Amino acid sequence: MLYGLNPLVRFVGAVKVGEPNTHPRVGRDNRMFYFTSGKATLVVGERAYSVAKNTLAFLPSYTEYRFELLGEDVELICTNFDVTADEKRPQ
């Protein structure tokens, strides 16, 4: 089922999220966050998720999200990417 997927990675990097960066965002590509420090609430649409060190979160493209910090700043590794699939499967 995963055969033929073609990811296009647009960005990978360490990101520090502080209070000025808590406004809602909409990613035009898929987002994957791996949290490396801190605690926060990740608000996705109308749902809220607790995140902390070693949490992995995936957001499909065009998903609105924001962070609510719980104390100190949060550090994470962010990956922005698109995925296409081959039309035909090998025989």
Side-chain angles (χ1 to χ4, degrees):
M1 184 168 188
L2 296 177
Y3 183 85
L5 292 181
N6 302 305
L8 171 63
V9 177
R10 298 183 182 280
F11 172 81
V12 176
V15 176
K16 186 173 185 177
V17 180
E19 280 303 330
N21 298 316
T22 59
H23 59 279
R25 300 170 184 248
V26 176
R28 293 182 183 211
D29 45 17
N30 298 296
R31 302 284 163 101
M32 189 165 49
F33 302 125
Y34 178 73
F35 294 84
T36 56
S37 72
K39 292 180 182 177
T41 300
L42 174 60
V43 180
V44 180
E46 296 182 15
R47 298 192 65 179
Y49 302 91
S50 295
V51 296
K53 184 176 180 179
N54 295 325
T55 300
L56 180 67
F58 169 77
L59 303 177
S61 57
Y62 294 98
T63 299
E64 181 177 294
Y65 67 95
R66 65 185 166 84
F67 297 100
E68 293 178 357
L69 302 183
L70 302 174
E72 74 267 11
D73 292 346
V74 170
E75 294 182 4
L76 56 94
I77 298 170
C78 178
T79 305
N80 300 359
F81 64 98
D82 290 320
V83 177
T84 60
D86 291 336
E87 296 279 330
K88 298 180 182 179
R89 289 183 154 200
Q91 301 277 331

